[in-house]
Amino acid sequence: MWLLWVALCVQGVRAVYELSDRGGLGREFDGIGAVSGGGATSRLLVNYPEPYRSQILDYLFKPNFGASLHIFKVEIGGDAQTTDGTEPSHMHYPDDQNYFRGYEWWLMKEAKKRNPNIKLVGLPWAFPGWIGNGKNWPYDFPDVTAYYVVSWIIGAKQYHDLDIDYVGVSAARTPLYLSIKLLRYTLDKNGLERVRIIASDNMWQPIAFQMLRDAELLRVVDVIGAHYPGTLTVEDAVSTGKKLWSSEDYSTFNDEVGGGCWARILNQNYVNGNMTSTISWNLVASYYEQLPFGLEGLMTAKEPWSGSYEVSSPIWITAHTTQFTQPGWYYLRTVGHLEKGGSYVALTDMKGNITIIIETMSHDHSICIRPPLPKFNVSAQNATFKLDGSFNNLKSLQVWYSKLCTNTTKATQFTKKSAIPVTGGSFTLELGVDEVYSLTTLTTGQKGSYPNPPESQPFPRKYKDDFNVRNPPFTEAPYFADQSGVFEYFTNTSDPGDHVFTFRQVLTQRPITWVSDANQAISVIGDYSWSNVTITCDVYIETPDTGSVFIAARVDQGGSPSSLAKGIFFWVFADGTYKVTGDLRKCLRLRA
């Protein structure tokens, strides 16, 4: 990448930055996106009442309204805990296929409804146990793994008319390279040549190194995807000539610092690392806040019982890029760092339009949770931009502006300002600290809005569900968030009494886990702060020799550390005995 930066360091003379398409363009822009999954991070969204559910979806996906995302990445559910819960597989067992489990199908359709051009990405984190044939590893039988992933893509089209654009092999694992090759072969064999492969969805290495030495691997991988790259890439990845994506990034609280983190990496992932797409984990914080990484979505929607939600700063930071660019635009080669801190990028549609995004995020107001951020300084500065090539006859640019909140300033989020004149091909900006500018020839930007949602309310202190739903729109009962195992609505036609409609744990085989996964099946519901609580529950134990069930309260953790949870656990066993324990493991010791 070329970097043209003319900095006049004489005191009192502003820096001049040239923006030109003379001599060619930079890399093709692939879009900004977000992840639903890895896992169960959109769980509560499906239970929002209208109109609030549609409003949330508009802020995320509707073009020229809010975040206006270009890419939507979802988990291919694998029946196991993948951070904040489990997402159900479309194939619990080899002879079982059901493409209506969970909510990712619904969510992809809602995204497509709002933006038919949005790119869809699927990625497995965990896998059902049968794929490993008794081992906790998905690649000993790579043909089976490829069949499993491709069946999900075929089901998406057959049952939901969804075309999946990209697919990965597995998140945060180093797969056997044969698995990637077999995935390409299986895609092509099923007429899915258009589906591109992202690998390894972990780190730049060792896959980049291997691609340079394996011609077939180089051929079948279309995008090298890295997680949390810290805006940097490696020489081997660049040398492959492949697209480079930050295929999972951000993972930071959606407060003002989180907004600063997102603003900085959206620009600097390209400036520093040649990455042409950045994908946020996660899409929306729609899971119980006390689960791991609470409040880390682009916005928050964790109270379907009240309808309350919050449009956070990362939504509007995203809009600075997504509302004024599209996949298929190209970065200019003339991008880089500002003299006194911050960065700028410029993109064009090659039809005369240009969008320039500038960020001046300070260190302490742009820290991402990972990786560590080296110290740097940013200060107020005047910057002159010189437009050349196809853009030297422009007379003005539209301006959208944000200033993130600090201890002494009030936040300004995605505000349209007066157009800035371009005189003799140049314009000058007075840049403060923690600001974002979008300067563009496009006039279609909009800060979408709805009336304020309802006020936040705690989970109802009295709640009952008898699961009497004849045609449930989703397989999970409202507000239940599975932490291990998979619970689904089940019609028990053999029951002559009051328990025809039930909520059933359906797994009988331990899945191939991605993180620590409890040995017991667990689903959580309610308010973490409850102390004096009464619970009544009718249960049926289907395995009379070894079966058991527990109800717990005052539990101190969920998500991936669920197996370490402490609380009050009341156990009932199939032989009629019961126990009360303070954790999950103690019960196993008592039964040994």
Side-chain angles (χ1 to χ4, degrees):
M1 177 169 35
W2 294 358
L3 176 62
L4 298 182
W5 177 26
V6 183
L8 304 182
C9 298
V10 179
Q11 187 171 0
V13 180
R14 64 180 63 92
V16 179
Y17 308 92
E18 184 176 359
L19 300 174
S20 176
D21 58 359
R22 291 187 189 275
L25 297 169
R27 290 183 171 233
E28 183 180 7
F29 175 63
D30 294 307
I32 306 302
V35 181
S36 172
T41 52
S42 304
R43 171 63 194 92
L44 297 175
L45 178 58
V46 299
N47 300 132
Y48 264 80
E50 293 293 356
Y52 310 116
R53 187 171 74 176
S54 290
Q55 292 172 5
I56 295 164
L57 293 165
D58 284 350
Y59 280 117
L60 293 167
F61 297 116
K62 186 177 179 180
N64 298 312
F65 189 85
S68 307
L69 293 169
H70 302 137
I71 298 173
F72 182 38
K73 181 177 181 178
V74 304
E75 178 175 352
I76 300 174
D79 290 340
Q81 171 64 245
T82 53
T83 297
D84 291 291
T86 64
E87 298 202 26
S89 170
H90 61 288
M91 295 179 70
H92 293 319
Y93 307 102
D95 58 351
D96 161 70
Q97 293 194 41
N98 184 331
Y99 296 92
F100 294 91
R101 293 186 181 119
Y103 43 82
E104 301 293 8
W105 313 105
W106 165 81
L107 197 45
M108 285 189 284
K109 287 189 287 187
E110 292 295 323
K112 276 285 188 182
K113 184 189 303 182
R114 288 160 174 80
N115 178 7
N117 295 320
I118 198 167
K119 301 296 183 182
L120 299 178
V121 183
L123 177 68
W125 271 253
F127 295 86
W130 62 269
I131 286 179
N133 195 27
K135 294 184 179 180
N136 195 43
W137 182 246
Y139 303 122
D140 283 350
F141 305 93
D143 54 335
V144 174
T145 305
Y147 162 74
Y148 171 79
V149 172
V150 172
S151 70
W152 182 87
I153 298 172
I154 293 172
K157 181 63 175 178
Q158 182 176 350
Y159 294 97
H160 302 284
D161 197 27
L162 292 168
D163 291 307
I164 304 302
D165 298 284
Y166 296 89
V167 68
V169 183
S170 181
R173 283 190 178 101
T174 301
L176 298 175
Y177 300 120
L178 177 60
S179 299
I180 302 173
K181 298 172 186 178
L182 278 173
L183 177 59
R184 178 74 273 160
Y185 171 80
T186 308
L187 287 166
D188 294 348
K189 184 179 177 181
N190 286 276
L192 296 168
E193 294 87 354
R194 62 176 294 279
V195 179
R196 304 291 90 196
I197 292 178
I198 304 172
S200 63
D201 249 310
N202 187 10
M203 306 295 290
W204 300 120
Q205 300 287 25
I207 191 166
F209 175 86
Q210 189 64 29
M211 287 172 65
L212 294 174
R213 287 151 183 83
D214 183 335
E216 186 180 3
L217 184 64
L218 182 67
R219 177 183 66 83
V220 302
V221 173
D222 301 283
V223 177
I224 303 180
H227 290 192
Y228 309 99
T231 77
L232 302 175
T233 188
V234 297
E235 184 177 344
D236 280 350
V238 177
S239 296
T240 65
K242 297 292 184 175
K243 291 178 177 292
L244 309 178
W245 288 13
S246 179
S247 54
E248 184 176 314
D249 215 329
Y250 176 63
S251 186
T252 299
F253 300 123
N254 56 26
D255 54 16
E256 295 299 299
V257 175
C261 155
W262 189 229
R264 178 175 54 79
I265 64 178
L266 284 182
N267 265 22
Q268 295 195 27
N269 273 351
Y270 185 75
V271 171
N272 301 338
N274 292 285
M275 287 167 263
T276 54
S277 177
T278 299
I279 299 178
S280 162
W281 189 88
N282 55 69
L283 172 74
V284 53
S286 202
Y287 47 101
Y288 289 110
E289 183 179 343
Q290 291 73 27
L291 293 172
F293 307 101
L295 304 180
E296 288 202 1
L298 296 177
M299 62 180 290
T300 298
K302 60 182 177 65
E303 290 188 15
W305 49 86
S306 71
S308 181
Y309 64 86
E310 182 179 354
V311 183
S312 308
S313 63
I315 290 289
W316 304 118
I317 294 300
T318 311
H320 273 283
T321 298
T322 55
Q323 290 203 22
F324 310 114
T325 62
Q326 287 297 324
W329 284 42
Y330 279 81
Y331 285 97
L332 302 189
R333 293 185 178 185
T334 49
V335 303
H337 294 276
L338 298 168
E339 180 187 18
K340 295 185 178 180
S343 65
Y344 63 98
V345 296
L347 302 95
T348 179
D349 63 354
M350 299 186 294
K351 299 176 183 178
N353 287 308
I354 186 173
T355 291
I356 307 155
I357 304 115
I358 303 165
E359 60 81 21
T360 58
M361 294 300 113
S362 61
H363 178 278
D364 291 352
H365 291 107
S366 67
I367 296 173
C368 304
I369 286 182
R370 50 184 158 165
L373 181 62
K375 282 290 184 182
F376 60 85
N377 294 315
V378 180
S379 58
Q381 56 196 300
N382 289 341
T384 294
F385 292 86
K386 172 69 174 174
L387 302 179
D388 198 7
S390 301
F391 319 112
N392 60 4
N393 292 321
L394 292 177
K395 301 303 180 185
S396 66
L397 291 168
Q398 304 296 310
V399 180
W400 289 81
Y401 170 78
S402 292
K403 185 172 182 66
L404 298 185
C405 178
T406 66
N407 294 332
T408 59
T409 62
K410 184 178 180 180
T412 300
Q413 296 185 354
F414 199 60
T415 299
K416 192 175 191 300
K417 300 174 73 73
S418 299
I420 189 169
V422 180
T423 305
S426 297
F427 65 91
T428 298
L429 289 174
E430 295 183 6
L431 302 174
V433 179
D434 295 324
E435 295 182 339
V436 183
Y437 280 88
S438 293
L439 302 107
T440 181
T441 53
L442 301 183
T443 59
T444 51
Q446 179 187 1
K447 186 174 184 180
S449 65
Y450 286 110
N452 290 335
E455 292 294 320
S456 173
Q457 297 289 337
F459 193 93
R461 290 195 62 83
K462 292 184 178 181
Y463 184 77
K464 178 181 179 179
D465 195 338
D466 60 6
F467 311 118
N468 189 348
V469 182
R470 293 190 177 273
N471 294 295
F474 299 102
T475 53
E476 302 104 330
Y479 313 152
F480 280 89
D482 298 347
Q483 300 302 300
S484 56
V486 174
F487 292 78
E488 298 177 355
Y489 279 112
F490 176 69
T491 303
N492 182 16
T493 55
S494 64
D495 188 296
D498 298 331
H499 300 102
V500 174
F501 299 102
T502 64
F503 200 43
R504 186 191 199 193
Q505 201 290 120
V506 298
L507 299 188
T508 60
Q509 182 181 19
R510 186 170 175 80
I512 297 174
T513 57
W514 185 76
V515 292
S516 175
D517 212 335
N519 291 319
Q520 302 83 2
I522 302 168
S523 192
V524 299
I525 187 172
D527 193 325
Y528 178 82
S529 66
W530 281 341
S531 55
N532 297 322
V533 57
T534 300
I535 306 166
T536 60
C537 185
D538 290 350
V539 298
Y540 175 62
I541 299 174
E542 295 185 72
T543 50
D545 295 330
T546 60
S548 64
V549 66
F550 73 86
I551 296 175
R554 304 186 191 178
V555 178
D556 65 351
Q557 40 191 328
S560 50
S562 290
S563 61
L564 304 176
K566 297 184 183 300
I568 301 173
F569 296 81
F570 181 79
W571 301 80
V572 177
F573 302 98
D575 62 6
T577 61
Y578 66 90
K579 299 286 183 183
V580 178
T581 69
D583 61 24
L584 289 169
R585 295 182 175 184
K586 191 175 294 183
C587 177
L588 295 178
R589 295 193 295 269
L590 289 170
R591 297 292 291 177

